[in-house]
Amino acid sequence: MADRLGTYRQKRDAGRTPEPVPDEGPLPRGDDDTFVVQEHHARRLHWDFRLERDGVLVSWALPKGLPDDPRTNHLAVHTEDHPLEYASFAGEIPKGEYGGGQVTIWDRGTYETEKWTDREVKVVLRGNRVSGRYVLFPTGGENWMIHRMDPPVAPDAVPMPERIDPVRPERRERLPRRAGAYGFEFAWGGRRSIVFSDRGTTRALDGGGRAAKAPSGLGESLSAHRVVLDGEVTDLEGRETYLIFDLLYLDGRPLVDEPYRRRRELLEGLGLAGPRWQTAPCFDDGAAVRSAAREQGLPGVVAKRLDAPYDQKKADWRLIPVRDS
């Protein structure tokens, strides 16, 4: 019989990678009921979907992970069979090795086979993060598609918008009198950027709705999230940095009608901090922010009403320039 793990072993050096590399020999016998999904930060972020079958893990690489809605199929690239020990593997594959990058277990559990042929693999997954009926089918070469057969995971989910026009502050000379009703941010004087990130794939639009460059690596840091961010690209300590100050969409839920206070809470919960991006700070003392802006040579302060939605007519964003006095 052909060595089911021959290709796997050829691509790996047991002395250089922490991955399990079993010797040749009889394959172990399991119950053909284990599945694992591994988040793999290799050259490009993807998710590895593996099903135990006949002593190996039959594997597919999913650039956008498992679909959570039957209306959208995802690409599934059929890869080499992996050993059963790989179902518990998590770690750093060294740079330069095949698949180099960080591997974590995104989900694992058991599955039931409904059908398994060369033309169709139909299974029922029972994991901690994903469950339901899925079918995989080939479309040519190593390319397959994976389809969710059950109803959407989130029936009320709304597709990510293609475009959102940025809210712009109105220029005022003084800080608002009801200071407690506002949050205060620095006016950075940078380039406006709306970033759309869908499970690791990112694109950006500038303030005029034209295509712009998204920060490299931001999509990977967001992992499986689907988000729309608002912010500015500016020079920060000699490095071009995307300063994020608003969250407009999160995992199927539009947030533009939510109050600014709630949008900021959700944004900060994402913990976005990287080499080229970070969450812009927000404060409750406008006078102190304006004083700090003056000291740092920034153009001013943006006051944002905490209970306002993301709407140009209702947002009540105010730009208060720094005064020299």
Side-chain angles (χ1 to χ4, degrees), residues 166-168 190-193 205-207 230-232 245 310 317:
V167 169
R168 302 182 185 280
R191 306 189 309 274
R192 196 69 173 269
S193 182
L205 300 177
D206 66 14
D230 188 5
E232 286 184 69
F245 50 66
Y310 192 87
W317 288 13

Side-chain angles (χ1 to χ4, degrees), residues 35 106-111 124-132:
F35 86 89
W106 187 83
D107 195 17
R108 64 178 301 178
T110 61
Y111 80 94
V124 181
L125 304 180
R126 299 184 179 90
N128 293 317
R129 300 179 68 170
V130 62
S131 61

Side-chain angles (χ1 to χ4, degrees), residues 111-145:
Y111 80 94
E112 176 185 342
T113 302
E114 291 191 349
K115 186 176 182 180
W116 194 298
T117 70
D118 292 341
R119 303 299 303 169
E120 188 176 43
V121 174
K122 189 182 298 184
V123 296
V124 181
L125 304 180
R126 299 184 179 90
N128 293 317
R129 300 179 68 170
V130 62
S131 61
R133 299 174 69 233
Y134 287 85
V135 60
L136 297 112
F137 53 92
T139 58
E142 300 299 327
N143 289 343
W144 291 49
M145 300 297 288

